[in-house]
Amino acid sequence: ETGVTQTPRHLVMGMTNKKSLKCEQHLGHNAMYWYKQSAKKPLELMFVYNFKEQTENNSVPSRFSPECPNSSHLFLHLHTLQPEDSALYLCASSQEQGIKTGELFFGEGSRLTVL
Amino acid sequence: KNQVEQSPQSLIILEGKNCTLQCNYTVSPFSNLRWYKQDTGRGPVSLTIMTFSENTKSNGRYTATLDADTKQSSLHITASQLSDSASYICVVSSHNAGNMLTFGGGTRLMVKP
C-alpha cells in the first residue's frame, strides 16, 4: 500500500466511449502526475499538477483531459481513444514538483484496453 | 537531450545467484538517481536514491553504486529470491526548472527456482 489509490484497475472501452480514471492520494502531497506505460518503453509523463495547478502538459492529445479538483484527487477523462492508447496508466504523487520533488509514490495503475 | 539507458533489457537468473543491472545517463545538470522496483501489475516503488556525493548505498540485498564522472550507476542484487522477479527502473533527476525526471526503459529480471 503506497498511499496512492487508482480506480478502476482494469478498463476496456470502445473508441467512441467516454470514461474516466480516478486517482486519490492520502500522503499529504502537493504534486500529482499521470504517466503512460507502454510495453518496452520508458514511462511517459503526461500531466503534472502542483498545488492543483497544471504545470506540465507533455504534448498529450486532447482526447485525454486531466482534472485536479484538489491536491488529493486527480482524474483522467478519456474520450474517442485509439487502440494505440492501450497501456498502463500510472498516477503518482510527490511532496511538491520542483526542488522538493523527491520520491514519486505510484498507484497500482489502471490497465486500459481500447477496442 | 537527456537520456537514461539501462542494460540488459531482460535477464533470467537462478534463485540464489547474484546479478548486476546497469544504468548509463546523459542527464545534466545531475541532481540524483533513483532505482525503482516494479512488480508485475503494480506501480514502481523506490528502492534507493543516490546523490552526487554518494558512491555506494545498500538496502538489504540491494546495493546501488554511482560513478558521477562516468555517469553510470549499477544495482547489484545478492542471493536472489523469487520475489526479486520484477522490472527495475532507473530514474535520473535534473537540477533544471521543474526538477525534470528522465526514466530508463527498465530491466526485466526473472528469478527461476
Side-chain angles (χ1 to χ4, degrees):
Chain A
E1 179 59 53
T2 63
V4 180
T5 304
Q6 288 188 244
T7 56
R9 293 292 311 279
H10 301 273
L11 178 63
V12 180
M13 59 186 289
M15 288 190 285
T16 58
N17 291 158
K18 283 185 181 181
K19 297 286 185 182
S20 296
L21 307 181
K22 178 183 176 181
C23 177
E24 182 175 2
Q25 58 97 359
H26 308 276
L27 301 169
H29 290 164
N30 293 303
M32 296 188 76
Y33 311 75
W34 279 117
Y35 282 91
K36 176 183 179 183
Q37 187 174 37
S38 304
K40 298 182 179 180
K41 292 176 67 175
L43 268 72
E44 300 172 54
L45 178 65
M46 300 176 72
F47 302 104
V48 183
Y49 280 82
N50 199 35
F51 292 93
K52 300 188 298 178
E53 298 296 321
Q54 187 179 125
T55 56
E56 282 193 49
N57 176 338
N58 214 21
S59 302
V60 180
S62 59
R63 57 185 184 268
F64 294 93
S65 173
E67 177 189 1
C68 187
N70 55 61
S71 292
S72 298
H73 293 86
L74 184 65
F75 295 89
L76 187 62
H77 303 300
L78 315 171
H79 178 48
T80 59
L81 296 191
Q82 304 298 312
E84 60 265 28
D85 296 323
S86 298
L88 181 68
Y89 288 85
L90 289 164
C91 173
S93 71
S94 68
Q95 182 181 0
E96 290 179 26
Q97 186 201 11
I99 298 299
K100 295 183 178 179
T101 294
E103 179 181 351
L104 290 178
F105 291 80
F106 287 88
E108 304 281 16
S110 294
R111 172 70 61 185
L112 173 66
T113 302
V114 181
L115 301 177
Chain B
K1 179 183 177 184
N2 289 337
Q3 285 189 310
V4 176
E5 300 287 340
Q6 291 187 244
S7 62
Q9 280 193 333
S10 61
L11 181 62
I12 301 174
I13 62 173
L14 293 176
E15 186 178 13
K17 298 296 185 183
N18 303 336
C19 67
T20 300
L21 313 180
Q22 299 288 345
C23 173
N24 297 338
Y25 61 92
T26 59
V27 175
S28 182
F30 176 86
S31 176
N32 61 62
L33 182 151
R34 283 185 187 271
W35 283 94
Y36 285 83
K37 178 187 179 188
Q38 184 176 19
D39 292 317
T40 301
R42 298 286 187 104
V45 176
S46 178
L47 287 175
T48 185
I49 178 174
M50 304 293 291
T51 57
F52 187 85
S53 59
E54 295 175 307
N55 298 120
T56 304
K57 183 178 286 186
S58 292
N59 178 3
R61 294 180 296 102
Y62 299 102
T63 299
T65 66
L66 176 66
D67 186 333
D69 292 331
T70 61
K71 299 187 176 180
Q72 296 180 325
S73 176
S74 67
L75 182 68
H76 185 75
I77 304 175
T78 304
S80 61
Q81 300 176 359
L82 298 179
S83 59
D84 293 329
S85 296
S87 288
Y88 292 84
I89 302 171
C90 176
V91 184
V92 182
S93 175
S94 176
H95 262 315
N96 60 9
N99 208 40
M100 188 180 71
L101 302 178
T102 304
F103 285 76
T107 292
R108 181 175 292 279
L109 173 66
M110 182 178 295
V111 180
K112 290 194 169 183

